[in-house]
Structures are given as C-alpha cells and as structure tokens.
Amino acid sequence: MSSNRLQVLENSLVKKEAELQRRFYNHFNTWKQTNGQPMNDKANGGAFFRKVEKQNDAIRNMKASIEKTKNAIEKEKSKIANVEAQSIPLELQNLINEGKITQWRKFPNRFFVVGVEKARLVWMEKEKYVTYQYLKDIPNQEQYAIFRDIFNDLNRTLNKKQS
C-alpha cells in the first residue's frame, strides 16, 4: 500500500538528490577555474572564497533537507504499516477499495465517509461492531443521507454477524 504523501516525498527526494549532484558539479567546476593557482591575490581572492563558502553552505543545507525528507519517508512508511496492521472487517476494506470511505492514519479504527464533513465511522475492534461519532455535526441533509446509507449497510452486515 502506498499513499499520495509517500509518493510526493519520494519524488521530492529524487529531485533533491539530483539538485545536490548539480551543486557538487558546480562546486567542483568553481575550483577547476583556479587552474591550480593560489587564490591569495588581492583582486579576486576574497570574492572567490566567499563564492566557495556560499556553495558549501548550499550543499550543507541541501544535505540537511535530504535527511529531513528521508526521515519523513520513514515516518510515513511507519504510519502506513500501522494502518495495515489494523485488523478491519472485509466489508470496511471493500468500502475503502471502492473509495467510499477513507481510513484515518492517526486512528486506524476510524473512517471518514467521502463527501461527508465532521461525522466518522468507528470500528470497535474488541467488541467487533461499527458505530459512529459526531453525527449531529453533519452540516446538511445530502451529506446526512450519504452517511446514513453507508452506516446502515455496515450496521446491518457487521453488527448482525455479532448478534
């Protein structure tokens, strides 16, 4: 399983690593410009060293940025692993696959109904039944009807199994 965020982070990492390579190439070319001559002349020596130091800073910043992105990728992968480790019934998984509900990564037993604000479905794993939260906060009847239909179908199938 992969998330959009993981894809974005991985693409960002590829771009940042390519940018780091470009900066290294420019940095080495700057040093090649000296032709092996010492840069201690009074005319341009200071400017050259400021340019080199600026490039060094840019390379260090890029390396730090790459490290942050790698850490974010690891964190995202652990969140995905946490969601995958959550045991949910087949009926909920089918709704996720159909795109009717989405699973909350922070609390993997909670699900958002696509197109409905505020309210959420909750899978009570120990008790093995589905319930809801924040039903009264749904702003309009159209959203309420969508939520009601999905919840009632799940309630009929999942909660009946437990009875």
Side-chain angles (χ1 to χ4, degrees):
M1 183 176 152
S2 181
S3 69
N4 291 337
R5 180 169 167 73
L6 183 60
Q7 288 297 112
V8 168
L9 288 169
E10 287 173 343
N11 291 341
S12 174
L13 181 62
V14 168
K15 289 177 187 176
K16 287 178 179 181
E17 286 174 340
E19 177 66 17
L20 180 63
Q21 290 303 317
R22 186 189 67 77
R23 289 179 190 244
F24 272 130
Y25 179 77
N26 287 343
H27 185 65
F28 293 133
N29 281 341
T30 300
W31 278 101
K32 285 181 185 177
Q33 290 174 354
T34 63
N35 292 326
Q37 300 298 316
M39 294 306 300
N40 58 2
D41 63 339
K42 292 181 181 177
N44 288 327
F48 174 80
F49 285 119
R50 282 191 297 278
K51 181 178 180 180
V52 167
E53 191 55 38
K54 189 174 179 182
Q55 289 175 343
N56 284 337
D57 290 342
I59 289 171
R60 276 191 291 276
N61 290 340
M62 186 58 65
K63 283 182 177 180
S65 178
I66 287 172
E67 196 58 38
K68 278 179 70 174
T69 304
K70 285 180 180 179
N71 291 340
I73 288 172
E74 288 305 312
K75 186 175 180 182
E76 186 68 19
K77 285 181 179 179
S78 70
K79 284 182 180 180
I80 290 171
N82 185 30
V83 167
E84 289 175 348
Q86 179 76 27
S87 65
I88 60 172
L90 185 61
E91 291 83 355
L92 284 170
Q93 188 61 50
N94 288 340
L95 288 174
I96 291 171
N97 294 341
E98 293 171 11
K100 293 184 178 179
I101 63 173
T102 57
Q103 191 171 12
W104 193 3
R105 286 193 324 231
K106 187 173 182 180
F107 300 105
N109 69 324
R110 287 168 169 71
F111 304 87
F112 298 104
V113 176
V114 175
V116 177
E117 298 173 36
K118 307 286 183 186
R120 58 191 63 119
L121 301 168
V122 180
W123 171 244
M124 305 303 285
E125 189 171 1
K126 289 181 183 177
E127 296 86 5
K128 303 285 187 210
Y129 73 92
V130 68
T131 185
Y132 56 83
Q133 284 183 325
Y134 307 114
L135 185 64
K136 293 181 180 181
D137 294 339
I138 296 177
N140 59 46
Q141 288 297 338
E142 294 86 21
Q143 291 182 19
Y144 180 81
I146 294 169
F147 188 85
R148 178 197 63 214
D149 293 342
I150 289 178
F151 176 76
N152 286 341
D153 288 343
L154 286 171
N155 190 32
R156 234 179 275 115
T157 56
L158 293 175
N159 294 349
K160 192 176 277 188
K161 283 182 185 178
Q162 312 315 318
S163 302

